[in-house]
Amino acid sequence: MHVVYSLGDRIFRRVVTAGAVTSLLVLALIGLFLFARGVEIFRDMGPKFITGTNWTAGSGDGIIPAEFSIGPMLAGTIVTSLIALFFAVPLSIAGALYMEFFAPAKIKSTLVSMLDLAAAIPSLFFGLWGIQVFSSMGERWAALTSHYLGWFPLFNNELGIFGRSPFIAGLVLAAMIVPIITSVSREVYSRTPRELVDSCYALGGTRWGAIRAVVLPFGRSGVVGGAMLGLGRALGETVAVYLLLNLVFKYNFNILESEGGNIASLIATKFGEATPYELKALLAAGFVLFLLTLSVNMAATAVVQRTAKAQP
Amino acid sequence: MNVVSQVGTESKTSKENGIIMNEMSTSGASTAVVERPLGLETRGLHAWFGAHHVLSDINLQFPERSVTGLIGPSGCGKSTFLRMLNRMHEFIPSAAMAGEVLMNGSDIYAPEVDAAAMRLKVGMVFQKPNPFPAMTIKENVLAGIKLANLKVSNHDDIVEKCLSRAGLWKEVKDRLDASGGSLSGGQQQRLCIARSLAVEPTILLMDEPCSALDPGSTLRIEETIRELAEKITVVIVTHNMQQASRVSNYCAFFLSDGGPGVLVEADATRKMFTNPTDTRTADYVQGKFG
Ligand SMILES: Nc1ncnc2c1ncn2[C@@H]1O[C@H](COP(=O)(O)OP(=O)(O)OP(=O)(O)O)[C@@H](O)[C@H]1O
Ligand SMILES: [Mg+2]
């Protein structure tokens, strides 16, 4: 019995280890491939590849030199993702709290399984829905925001055209990442020790009081981890931004104006008719995005693990 | 029901000392009648979890400024009963109840009662010490005041007073800003007692408050309970017969033999331990089962 058991154990362990090693290996190979193909661009462009604002394939005869840099796209990636977080995080926290503490017991389990399903299906689904809904609605909100808050540089809009802006792209990205953040947050909140919540009630606290005193502090780092998972998705999102934003190579921090882009949509836009040298530049851009999402995901994992450890 | 309410009125007018045992009612519940005004009284209390009937017709009186011990084998419904005394029972989705719990003569389950406000008057200490982990010792003591939005100015005085009453002040007065989790188990439990005292309850419910603690901390907490009982009414669930005899003035013995839990007998602790009316009580307190 003992031998059989430990043999099964060993096989299981090997299979799991092999799986883990393989996925790490694939990840490393992707990074290596992107770097190897893009390294020529990094050498030619230097740090300007990250900060510059010019993407020119050049003329084949070399009269107009090729020049590639992704500054505005990198900035756009970060700006749209932060806008997405700005909307998605509060909404997700509210939704998670509702499900865990306010939803009637009868519908709670249905809601939870729907949510977990939603978190598992590709976010593209919500992106397409978001494009339908927010293209026009977001335009109206943007106009209002600019009307009342236009004095603040971020919300300035000179032209009065509000469609296809980073703001709207951010809204759509928010719709795409709400399910995953809500799902993670609800999971964390549901692990709040029952006795702590009970203690709040026993002290004459209301449900909202218990949430503020115990549930939110307990869930904080878990929610941060969930938000970073969402951020990782938003950073790498291609299709929604590709469909929504006019690619303009200019730093645009007026988030209500109709120009922008992100790295993923840059790659999608240029890939089809790129010259061989431009292709390398696109892969170099891919490498930058790869590093960005990888570090965000690693940070998220670290935060979630720290939470898991801190709790007895 | 009738018998019980009669007894209740009688006990309020009667100035006699001593404890009079009531006749056994048909349901098997019994009632201790005492000279002191009642802090709390239950009438015809039933509890269910879904279709599972776990407590049947509990009529019990808790004299003011005394300690009542609830004893009985595991699963007989002591915790459930305790949680009905401050309406914590209703947080469990499948839970249902019937009957009355009278505090100062009025039913805490009456529709107009604000349960959260009522719980301010009925503190609770749980089996496992559970200070709020994100808060300091001081914040833990003041948590109830903050939760209930009570307006008080003398925070420091309250902290000192409650920690002293819980017998913890001397040990922690120099590290009030340390985290509650940095204390030992026994200290944490006394911090939890201090925490429930801060909102000035008139009743304190304790569910096996010492079962996770060492003998030294246990004695320390029993001492605290005796001191508290000079001011407030304490109800304590315990599996430890020595503890019940050391700390309580009255004892109530619960039992479930397959069906719902019933109150077998309730009386002065000395009588329960030396000369109980029911043989099952005698067997239980002598450790013959349980
Ligand atoms: N949340 C719940 N859902 C369903 N049934 C429950 C729940 N809590 C308790 N019960 C049932 O109610 C009965 C009484 O439980 P209770 O916890 O009140 O017993 P107890 O006397 O406190 O036991 P112990 O001495 O072990 O703490 C048991 O049969 C138990 O299975
Ligand atoms: Mg119990």
Side-chain angles (χ1 to χ4, degrees), chain A residues 181-235:
Chain A
I181 303 180
T182 312
S183 175
V184 172
S185 309
R186 191 205 62 78
E187 177 78 32
V188 184
Y189 290 151
S190 76
R191 302 218 179 142
T192 316
R194 184 68 228 181
E195 322 92 64
L196 289 181
V197 180
D198 275 357
S199 292
C200 289
Y201 291 144
L203 284 168
T206 56
R207 206 179 313 215
W208 182 232
I211 288 173
R212 269 202 329 219
V214 171
V215 178
L216 291 181
F218 177 87
R220 188 171 296 140
S221 45
V223 172
V224 169
M228 285 170 101
L229 280 180
L231 178 62
R233 284 196 180 186
L235 288 171

Side-chain angles (χ1 to χ4, degrees), chain B residues 259-277:
Chain B
V262 294
L263 177 61
V264 173
E265 185 170 359
D267 212 321
T269 301
R270 199 188 306 120
K271 179 155 189 306
M272 289 284 279
F273 277 85
T274 53
N275 184 23
T277 313

Side-chain angles (χ1 to χ4, degrees), chain A residues 140-201:
Chain A
R140 252 173 287 139
W141 294 350
L144 276 178
T145 312
S146 146
H147 184 77
Y148 289 107
L149 297 173
W151 50 268
F152 190 67
L154 202 59
F155 305 119
N156 205 344
N157 187 318
E158 305 265 283
L159 293 172
I161 299 169
F162 293 100
R164 306 178 72 80
S165 63
F167 172 74
I168 292 175
L171 283 177
V172 174
L173 289 177
M176 300 174 75
I177 62 177
V178 157
I180 177 84
I181 303 180
T182 312
S183 175
V184 172
S185 309
R186 191 205 62 78
E187 177 78 32
V188 184
Y189 290 151
S190 76
R191 302 218 179 142
T192 316
R194 184 68 228 181
E195 322 92 64
L196 289 181
V197 180
D198 275 357
S199 292
C200 289
Y201 291 144

Side-chain angles (χ1 to χ4, degrees), chain B residues 8-282:
Chain B
T9 17
E10 199 182 313
S11 73
K12 269 170 202 151
T13 49
S14 155
K15 293 277 174 277
E16 285 175 80
N17 279 352
I19 289 122
I20 311 151
M21 267 307 296
N22 182 32
E23 301 287 327
M24 297 278 283
S25 76
T26 43
S27 65
S30 63
T31 311
V33 184
V34 288
E35 85 283 13
R36 293 193 219 191
L38 294 179
L40 205 60
E41 177 181 3
T42 71
R43 291 184 182 174
L45 213 53
H46 292 257
W48 291 265
F49 289 107
H52 183 194
H53 193 182
V54 299
L55 277 175
S56 175
D57 195 25
I58 309 293
N59 300 288
L60 193 54
Q61 304 181 333
F62 301 92
E64 208 172 80
R65 283 175 283 117
S66 68
V67 180
T68 304
L70 306 183
I71 57 174
S74 183
C76 65
K78 306 177 297 296
S79 300
T80 306
F81 178 72
L82 199 70
R83 290 168 62 89
M84 288 168 88
L85 301 181
N86 67 347
R87 292 184 59 169
M88 298 284 286
H89 182 62
E90 63 201 40
F91 287 119
I92 295 160
S94 64
M97 61 83 64
E100 292 179 327
V101 176
L102 303 183
M103 198 176 131
N104 303 322
S106 56
D107 186 8
I108 63 169
Y109 284 92
E112 70 275 9
V113 172
D114 172 357
M118 178 274 295
R119 284 189 205 103
L120 274 176
K121 292 283 139 214
V122 189
M124 192 166 208
V125 175
F126 297 79
Q127 181 167 2
K128 221 177 94 201
N130 59 352
F132 297 130
M135 298 185 193
T136 65
I137 293 174
K138 184 173 163 181
E139 286 166 349
N140 260 289
V141 177
L142 296 171
I145 288 171
K146 208 170 147 200
L147 274 167
N149 274 324
L150 302 182
K151 297 278 167 287
V152 290
S153 47
N154 50 343
H155 282 176
D156 291 341
D157 297 346
I158 292 178
V159 171
E160 177 170 354
K161 195 179 99 198
C162 295
L163 285 171
S164 307
R165 283 178 79 190
L168 189 61
W169 173 249
K170 286 203 192 84
E171 290 155 66
V172 301
K173 64 174 192 282
D174 298 321
R175 47 169 172 155
L176 293 176
D177 291 323
S179 133
S182 68
L183 299 173
S184 76
Q187 290 173 326
Q188 288 187 13
Q189 193 63 305
R190 278 179 277 152
L191 176 59
C192 292
I193 294 175
R195 178 174 74 185
S196 31
L197 294 177
V199 291
E200 302 191 345
T202 55
I203 294 163
L204 188 61
L205 310 176
M206 309 177 103
D207 194 349
E208 304 184 38
C210 303
S211 65
L213 305 180
D214 62 287
S217 303
T218 301
L219 286 178
R220 195 73 199 71
I221 286 181
E222 286 176 9
E223 221 171 278
T224 304
I225 294 172
R226 292 303 328 159
E227 281 160 22
L228 289 177
E230 290 165 14
K231 293 245 174 64
I232 64 179
T233 310
V234 179
V235 184
I236 176 172
V237 175
T238 177
H239 276 288
N240 180 335
M241 289 307 114
Q242 272 106 45
Q243 176 166 73
S245 65
R246 280 192 301 261
V247 82
S248 69
N249 306 91
Y250 307 98
C251 255
F253 174 51
F254 287 69
L255 187 61
S256 143
D257 44 5
V262 294
L263 177 61
V264 173
E265 185 170 359
D267 212 321
T269 301
R270 199 188 306 120
K271 179 155 189 306
M272 289 284 279
F273 277 85
T274 53
N275 184 23
T277 313
D278 197 296
T279 53
R280 292 170 295 175
T281 313

Side-chain angles (χ1 to χ4, degrees), chain A residues 232-301:
Chain A
R233 284 196 180 186
L235 288 171
E237 176 48 36
T238 316
V239 178
V241 179
Y242 174 72
L243 292 176
L244 265 174
L245 284 185
N246 302 325
L247 216 60
V248 176
F249 263 87
K250 196 183 103 193
Y251 279 111
N252 174 20
F253 292 109
N254 303 349
I255 58 172
L256 303 181
E257 285 184 353
S258 313
E259 51 190 35
N262 72 2
I263 296 180
S265 70
L266 165 79
I267 297 173
T269 312
K270 305 278 186 192
F271 200 82
E273 44 218 46
T275 63
Y277 189 60
E278 189 177 10
L279 198 60
K280 284 181 184 157
L282 288 174
L283 290 172
F287 182 71
V288 172
L289 181 59
F290 174 82
L291 283 187
L292 193 64
T293 41
L294 193 67
S295 45
V296 166
N297 276 317
M298 267 161 39
T301 316

